[in-house]
Amino acid sequence: VPHLITALTGPINELEQRILESMPAIERWFRLEWMEHTPPFYTSVDVRNAGFKLAPVDTNLFPGGFNNLTEEMLPLAVQAAMAAIEKICPEARNLLLIPEPGAQDASYQANLRRLVQIFTQAGLNVRLGALDESMTSPMALPSDADGPTLTLEPLKRAPRRLGLKDFDPCTILVNSSLAGGTPKVLEKLHEQYLLPPLHAGRTQRHKSRHFRSYEEVAKKFAKLLGMDPWLINPMYGQCGEVDFTQPQGLDCVQSQVDALLAKVRRKYKEYGINEKPFVVVKADSGGRGQGLLTIRDAKDLPDIARRCAEDLATHDGSAPSEVIVQEGVPTHERVNGAVAEPVVMMIDRYVVGGYYRVHADRGIDEDLGAPGNRTVPLAFAESHHLPRPGEKPGASAPNRFYMYGVIGRLAMLAASYELEATDPDAEVYD
């Protein structure tokens, strides 16, 4: 059991108490929302607990990390997978899983093995198809002592269907963020379910669109609980024309940084928070979900941008031309003394577990997804899925994790709003 230390300060404890007291209303509210909106097939959400606010900072619709779920969490994941598949294709027999291209990383392969295990136990035949067009014969991935050998096979495309040799799937589950763009082989499939949809790909999504949806969700939720939405919502701004190589190319970013820092200072003053605010500049689309630049004063931006030019590259090696400027949420959690942040894992509309991302060499205001990070499964000595009403706020790990699950589900609901708004096939009514 990892030794977890959380900053147990006033506002978060009050928020925890309010969420626990409102649990029936919250669960009913989510139920009604899911009657109107379709959850993404699977989602992971990076959550930051600042002690004075609790907010999502990144929402991944092609999550890895399922290998970080403990054995105790697996039954929940299998049940959620069953529910998700039944909704989409009740008669499904075969599932084609498409992994990240060139994923030789041992931890990612452990994630694939765990996904195969979950969906096999949910009653499906699962096989892996490679997005690599040069692959002509099956290739065995390195195995470990814990699981079976996985085989990656070349995809076979028919005019309207995608499969493998002697394998015709009802459902195709993509576990690649499609950072290199949309592969032609996945387009125009009319008789199969492709999950998530292509417009969920990393190059298609805009973080500003997602956080606009999240702001809408957070306001609705805050109204339900009678609270300030800022306690669960990171404020943001967006710049559409940015050139990091020219001083004037940073004008928009500089003004957004200035305006956002002023808003955050006002909130800190309102809540008596004695910390220096910061903002994080990220690529608005493409790129990694993590922050590119951390800024505490707008006048420092040109110098920081120049020094960090090599970090400003997206997947294709160029600096982003569109960025989101997001309120920085420090993390005041530690696992075995190292700075940590929780990651909430969901399948369909269900929280199936989570883990901590930990980085011993990073500070509370830095990106913990940087090289050198490690993961620690959420493995409390007691059940962490069912909250315990009546316990003193801040004293119960299950209660704290229930609160993380609520924030994770709010971000997942925002992703649902976002995908509906950006669906290229959606019918438009006058």
Side-chain angles (χ1 to χ4, degrees), residues 87-104:
K87 248 185 350 192
I88 294 156
C89 185
E91 71 280 9
R93 180 183 294 116
N94 297 333
L95 176 79
L96 174 60
L97 177 59
I98 297 185
E100 200 71 68
Q104 301 301 321

Side-chain angles (χ1 to χ4, degrees), residues 126-185:
V126 186
R127 283 166 65 178
L128 272 61
L131 282 174
D132 182 358
E133 292 178 9
S134 66
M135 178 179 278
T136 55
S137 58
M139 180 182 81
L141 296 176
S143 63
D144 65 5
D146 297 334
T149 300
L150 295 181
T151 302
L152 203 52
E153 302 178 61
L155 293 171
K156 303 282 184 191
R157 177 67 201 245
R160 297 171 72 85
R161 294 185 78 82
L162 180 66
L164 307 172
K165 185 181 179 184
D166 303 322
F167 189 75
D168 184 33
C170 162
T171 307
I172 299 162
L173 181 61
V174 182
N175 195 239
S176 162
S177 62
L178 307 180
T182 303
K184 287 265 187 274
V185 74

Side-chain angles (χ1 to χ4, degrees), residues 394-412:
S396 166
N399 287 356
R400 183 56 48 94
F401 187 64
Y402 175 74
M403 190 166 63
Y404 294 157
V406 167
I407 299 299
R409 284 184 288 165
L410 292 175
M412 174 171 58

Side-chain angles (χ1 to χ4, degrees), residues 182 196-202 204-205 418-425:
T182 303
L198 289 177
H199 67 285
R202 188 188 284 176
Q204 303 288 318
R205 291 179 70 205
E418 171 201 356
L419 291 178
E420 287 166 13
T422 56
D423 184 354
D425 300 321

Side-chain angles (χ1 to χ4, degrees), residues 194-236:
L194 183 69
L195 304 166
L198 289 177
H199 67 285
R202 188 188 284 176
T203 56
Q204 303 288 318
R205 291 179 70 205
H206 282 77
K207 296 179 184 72
S208 55
R209 183 71 191 76
H210 174 73
F211 281 101
R212 186 155 75 246
S213 297
Y214 183 79
E215 187 173 37
E216 183 184 345
V217 167
K219 283 178 177 173
K220 285 185 182 178
F221 183 79
K223 187 176 179 185
L224 175 75
L225 265 64
M227 58 178 264
D228 180 355
W230 178 74
L231 293 172
I232 56 171
N233 180 38
M235 296 186 287
Y236 75 95

